[in-house]
Amino acid sequence: MRLSVHTRLRYEVRAPTTFIFAVQAGGGFGEAILSEEIELPPGVEADFIVGAGGPNRLVRFLARPGEFDLTYRAEIETAGDRDQRRFVGGAVINDLPADVLSYLSPSRYCQSDRLTNFARSEFGGFPQGLGQVQAVTDWIFNRITYCAASSPEGTSALDTLVSRAGVCRDFAHLGAAICRALDLPARIVSCYAWKLEPPDFHAVFQVFLDGAWITFDATRLAPLEGLVHIASGRDAADVPFAAYFGQATLIDKQIDVSAT
């Protein structure tokens, strides 16, 4: 399907501040970027970077004190229906590509090493691969309550398992952590989401199955075919839509995703 994305971010800067934004549609997720434009603050000199560790497209610049807007518009042809209904087996770890291996290990917000006993007791009996991931996704959807603005940025997968509540980032962290505890490579993906209410950046997780990264969303707040992937990483610390180094405050965020 074809989607139109329009993002506008406004910041107040109090001292010279370097920003690194990840708001452009990713170039390696099987989606076609038909057109796009990004409007930066007047007079800035920006670096456009392809980030390490994934198909992440970053823009970096130094902002002077005052207010500024960043605007991004794009037309995207998505990869279509991503509902995975057939059995997909997990790969033998010895056969995994080298760039996938890091997604087997625990990370800051995905403490898979502390979830091994839980993961194996709850999901070890399901068919290896897709059967397990679908069971994990169903479990999170049924057992974790989605509560907007319910958790701070530092919330980890283990915190979410204990509290049984969280936002999309927390659902994604928990899904990825449990899958890694089952020896399935998993990563976090930031994205735009058609039909997400209220409109915002969204977080899902992907698992490497049968030689490809397959997307799962335990929140079920938006259709999988309506996702526009932005960036991927071990956890949310790798894929913020904006990182800044200085003194600044986000004062407005507007996101619109529509089918065209």
Side-chain angles (χ1 to χ4, degrees):
M1 67 185 302
R2 182 173 294 190
L3 297 174
S4 175
V5 173
H6 182 196
T7 300
R8 176 177 170 273
L9 305 173
R10 173 169 290 181
Y11 282 85
E12 179 185 8
V13 180
R14 296 180 296 280
T17 298
T18 295
F19 284 84
I20 303 175
F21 286 98
V23 297
Q24 299 164 276
F29 294 97
E31 298 157 353
I33 303 172
L34 305 178
S35 66
E36 67 175 350
E37 62 176 335
I38 187 166
E39 296 179 10
L40 304 176
V44 304
E45 296 184 5
D47 298 317
F48 290 87
I49 306 165
V50 177
N56 306 338
R57 303 168 64 212
L58 311 175
V59 56
R60 176 182 63 186
F61 59 82
L62 177 66
R64 301 297 179 185
E67 291 187 4
F68 76 82
D69 288 358
L70 180 145
T71 303
Y72 176 70
R73 300 180 182 86
E75 297 288 330
I76 310 292
E77 188 76 38
T78 70
D81 187 359
R82 294 191 178 93
D83 187 14
Q84 304 294 327
R85 298 185 184 276
R86 64 183 179 86
F87 174 81
V88 180
V92 176
I93 292 176
N94 197 55
D95 295 334
L96 289 171
D99 61 354
V100 171
L101 294 178
S102 63
Y103 297 106
L104 287 166
S105 302
S107 60
R108 179 177 180 180
Y109 298 123
C110 297
Q111 311 103 312
S112 51
D113 54 333
R114 299 182 63 182
L115 294 175
T116 302
N117 290 339
F118 166 76
R120 291 178 178 173
S121 64
E122 286 285 341
F123 310 107
F126 290 90
Q128 184 184 21
L130 180 63
Q132 290 176 320
V133 184
Q134 288 179 327
V136 169
T137 304
D138 290 343
W139 190 95
I140 296 173
F141 175 76
N142 290 318
R143 303 293 185 90
I144 307 298
T145 301
Y146 182 87
C147 298
S150 63
S151 64
E153 290 186 0
T155 301
S156 70
L158 195 59
D159 296 329
T160 302
L161 185 61
V162 171
S163 68
R164 298 296 174 97
V167 297
C168 62
R169 177 192 64 245
D170 305 315
F171 279 56
H173 281 156
L174 184 56
I178 294 174
C179 288
R180 291 180 199 171
L182 294 167
D183 297 331
L184 297 168
R187 66 186 186 182
I188 304 301
V189 178
S190 61
C191 56
Y192 297 107
W194 177 55
K195 291 190 175 181
L196 182 68
E197 293 295 338
D200 204 344
F201 292 103
H202 194 42
V204 298
F205 70 101
Q206 291 184 324
V207 182
F208 194 78
L209 299 170
D210 275 7
W213 288 105
I214 299 176
T215 301
F216 299 87
D217 183 2
T219 71
R220 299 182 183 172
L221 292 175
L224 292 178
E225 64 270 20
L227 300 180
V228 174
H229 298 75
I230 300 173
S232 65
R234 295 165 300 171
D235 55 36
D238 288 344
V239 295
F241 71 86
Y244 61 87
F245 305 86
Q247 300 180 36
T249 302
L250 176 65
I251 58 176
D252 190 40
K253 177 175 59 177
Q254 298 177 20
I255 296 173
D256 178 72
V257 182
S258 58
T260 59

